[in-house]
Amino acid sequence: MNLDNLYQEVILDHYKNPLNKSLAKDYDVQVHHINPSCGDEITLNITLTGNVISKITWDGVGCSISQASVSIASDLLVGKTLDVSESITEEFMDLMQSKGKKSGNELVLEDAVALAGVSQYPARIKCALLGWMAIKDASMQASNK
Ligand code: ZN
């Protein structure tokens, strides 16, 4: 199995068995983000405990890239401090802007490196970033509360 196939498996697995996809009733902030160019939509609830993201839950519809990416991001960023979450998100954005030239640091991005290939398709980058931007937005709002 080559790397592309392996990465497709990871994306498909998150799409079919999404993590944290069940909106929690208690949360600090709820955001709703859409990607009109593709029709992707997510609602995301976040809870902070001090400066740690203690809970991320979401629900959504859309393409496999958008849904897999929010599943990956919600799993990766929960339990992280706001600072760490922001630096991981920046690293993912940097990967998405790499036009296929970077493969991503798996030690930092874990399953998110499976989305590296998306950076070659400008139209799909917004799909991949949707969940990350929702988490960034929600955690900023929650930390300003
Ligand atoms: Zn999409």
Side-chain angles (χ1 to χ4, degrees), residues 52-116:
V52 173
I53 301 174
S54 51
K55 201 189 279 182
I56 303 171
T57 58
W58 61 280
D59 196 11
V61 290
C63 69
S64 57
I65 299 213
S66 68
Q67 304 299 298
S69 190
V70 62
S71 170
I72 290 168
S74 68
D75 187 48
L76 182 60
L77 300 180
V78 75
K80 303 288 195 293
T81 64
L82 292 167
D83 284 353
V84 170
S85 168
E86 200 176 315
S87 75
I88 296 171
T89 301
E90 273 168 22
E91 188 148 339
F92 184 70
M93 288 173 69
D94 183 55
L95 177 62
M96 286 301 103
Q97 284 150 12
S98 74
K99 300 184 169 70
K101 291 192 178 71
K102 290 184 183 170
S103 54
N105 181 351
E106 197 170 358
L107 291 175
V108 176
L109 295 174
E110 300 182 14
D111 277 2
V113 296
L115 294 156

Side-chain angles (χ1 to χ4, degrees), residues 35 37-40 62-67 123-124 126-128 130:
N35 172 24
S37 61
C38 181
D40 310 317
C63 69
S64 57
I65 299 213
S66 68
Q67 304 299 298
R124 309 309 301 279
K126 279 184 184 167
C127 302
L130 182 68

